[in-house]
Amino acid sequence: MIPNLLTAPALEPVSLDEAKAWLRIDATDEDPLLAALIVSARLTLEAYTRRFFVTQSWRMRLDAWPAQTLRRGALAIPFAPFRSLSAVRVYESGDVARTLDSASFRAAPARDAGRVVFLSPPPKPGRPFDGIEIDLVAGYGDSPADTPEPLRRAILALVGHWHENRGDAGDASAPLPTIAMALAKPFRRERLT
């Protein structure tokens, strides 16, 4: 599966003013840096928790339907929280995209990863690579307040840590600061292998 971001979040879960209040900063000269740290902290914590904090649109590209999808009639959506499915397209021979009728599948929102249940077997793609495109929406909601408060606090803790430790030649693979990890850990989706 190849994921592609279609629409980034319109707002961050933490505002610049919230970050400045957290850090006790009144001046505006570091606003661009703090804004960049907020985005970086969100992306880092989204990767750590394997969840999207604010509404964003993604496209999944598959070469073919996984074997279990064809056997069971369902496809797992690895994005969480899963909000909605926008479209399912299958490329037929000649690279012609066919959008599946929304009546041919069901996709209910889920606080965790979702799934698409096909009411009839989905058509096989007519090309060997990227033959299936699935457009979906994931995230807790459109408003920063929709992001759970511990995750918002984890962003602030990480922004504070990075702000205080600028320019330190630390290990890039070092773990997250303890407070940020403790706040985010209950939301972490473990990988099943």
Side-chain angles (χ1 to χ4, degrees):
M1 179 202 58
I2 301 170
N4 296 101
L5 179 65
L6 298 177
T7 307
L11 298 169
E12 292 298 327
V14 171
S15 72
L16 180 61
D17 289 339
E18 287 173 304
K20 288 173 74 170
W22 178 266
L23 296 169
R24 296 184 180 113
I25 295 175
D26 293 325
T28 60
D29 55 330
E30 291 191 313
D31 285 2
L33 169 67
L34 292 175
L37 290 176
I38 291 168
V39 173
S40 297
R42 175 186 52 84
L43 290 169
T44 298
L45 289 164
E46 284 179 340
Y48 174 73
T49 61
R50 297 184 182 98
R51 294 180 182 276
F52 296 112
F53 296 174
V54 184
T55 300
Q56 43 199 285
S57 300
W58 286 84
R59 175 171 292 153
M60 290 174 36
R61 288 189 173 144
L62 306 167
D63 293 337
W65 297 109
Q68 69 183 26
T69 299
L70 299 175
R71 280 195 312 273
R72 296 183 185 168
L75 174 69
I77 301 294
F79 298 85
F82 174 66
R83 302 265 316 270
S84 64
L85 193 65
S86 305
V88 178
R89 284 179 296 284
V90 177
Y91 283 85
E92 299 173 339
S93 58
D95 278 347
V96 175
R98 175 180 158 208
T99 301
L100 299 186
D101 181 8
S102 61
S104 67
F105 58 83
R106 297 285 179 264
R111 288 293 279 177
D112 215 357
R115 67 186 181 136
V116 179
V117 177
F118 293 96
L119 305 177
S120 59
K124 291 186 175 147
R127 65 182 189 188
F129 300 104
D130 295 338
I132 302 163
E133 291 181 347
I134 300 170
D135 293 349
L136 57 99
V137 177
Y140 284 106
D142 299 333
S143 166
D146 293 330
T147 301
E149 192 61 29
L151 294 173
R152 297 178 76 243
R153 295 291 152 214
I155 290 171
L156 290 170
L158 193 51
V159 167
H161 174 77
W162 285 340
H163 184 264
E164 291 174 15
N165 296 292
R166 288 186 274 182
D168 292 348
D171 181 5
S173 65
L176 294 172
T178 306
I179 185 69
M181 206 166 10
L183 288 164
K185 188 165 179 124
F187 297 90
R188 184 177 167 108
R189 294 176 58 231
E190 296 300 328
R191 217 173 261 214
L192 300 176
T193 54

